[in-house]
Amino acid sequence: MQSNSNINAYIRIKPSNKKEKLSDLLSWTKETVILSNKITAEKSFQFNQVFDPSTSQEEIFARIVLPAIDSCLEGYNWFKGFVVKISFIELFNEELVDLLSNESNKLYIYDDTINKGAVIVKGVKEIEISSLDEFRCLFKLGVSKRTTCSTALNERSRFFDMML
């Protein structure tokens, strides 16, 4: 699924543990995840890329995140008037959490009426960056603040979105 939009979707199939049998519910290809069970009809979901359970977080970071940041930073800081800012938010229990702020302000998300397809997150901290090293430091900070918890299917769930 090649995308010319601002948003790309990637997924890593979570490794199963002793309590789970994801192989009974999921199948996947390079760009599609198929969910099937005995109760509902089969559903398929398209992604830019599907990573299998053996793919490490470090590999995903190197293959997806770093090239995206390089692309954002490439050339922009050499031209007058362009600024690159980063925000790092987590969606957890239907609440947005600012992972770069020490304050616990409530965040609100809105559709941008001027830029079709874009969103605005009111109250999120934006930090200007000019290098990949600055990004890496902020990314590590945000990752260290992510929420983890147990669910019925997963002993350590992690859900997050990153917006640049």
Side-chain angles (χ1 to χ4, degrees):
M1 177 166 139
Q2 192 65 354
S3 173
N4 293 327
S5 70
N6 293 331
I7 298 174
N8 293 311
Y10 301 93
I11 187 170
R12 179 175 73 107
I13 306 299
K14 186 181 76 59
S16 296
N17 63 30
K18 294 175 187 173
K19 299 177 186 176
E20 303 169 323
K21 285 198 163 193
L22 289 181
S23 59
D24 294 344
L25 301 172
L26 290 177
S27 59
W28 60 89
T29 65
K30 287 176 96 172
E31 297 177 347
T32 306
V33 173
I34 301 163
L35 178 63
S36 58
N37 64 40
K38 296 174 183 170
I39 301 169
T40 61
E42 184 175 282
K43 295 180 183 179
S44 66
F45 302 90
Q46 293 294 121
F47 297 91
N48 291 86
Q49 187 170 353
V50 176
F51 293 97
D52 66 40
S54 66
T55 309
S56 70
Q57 292 294 84
E58 291 78 14
E59 184 178 346
I60 292 171
F61 183 82
R63 289 177 57 189
I64 304 302
V65 178
L66 289 180
I69 299 308
D70 275 339
S71 176
C72 288
L73 295 175
E74 187 176 275
Y76 284 131
N77 292 318
W78 303 108
F79 296 103
K80 218 172 197 180
F82 286 96
V83 175
V84 177
K85 294 181 179 180
I86 183 172
S87 299
F88 198 168
I89 63 170
E90 169 183 60
L91 177 60
F92 183 75
N93 284 340
E94 299 183 27
E95 293 286 327
L96 294 174
V97 178
D98 190 335
L99 296 174
L100 297 180
S101 176
N102 292 328
E103 300 172 17
S104 58
N105 296 338
K106 187 152 175 86
L107 303 178
Y108 299 92
I109 191 165
Y110 302 97
D111 287 326
D112 187 337
T113 57
I114 297 169
N115 299 312
K116 187 175 177 139
V119 295
I120 297 171
V121 180
K122 186 176 179 183
V124 70
K125 183 174 187 173
E126 293 181 326
I127 299 174
E128 187 175 319
I129 61 171
S130 59
S131 73
L132 198 51
D133 287 337
E134 289 176 356
F135 167 78
R136 284 181 177 146
C137 288
L138 292 172
F139 188 80
K140 285 179 183 177
L141 173 66
V143 167
S144 71
K145 292 183 170 184
R146 290 187 301 167
T147 304
T148 61
C149 71
S150 295
T151 67
L153 286 179
N154 188 350
E155 292 175 1
R156 283 179 38 130
S157 290
R158 289 185 176 182
F159 306 99
F160 73 96
D161 274 320
M162 181 176 63
M163 294 175 46
L164 298 175

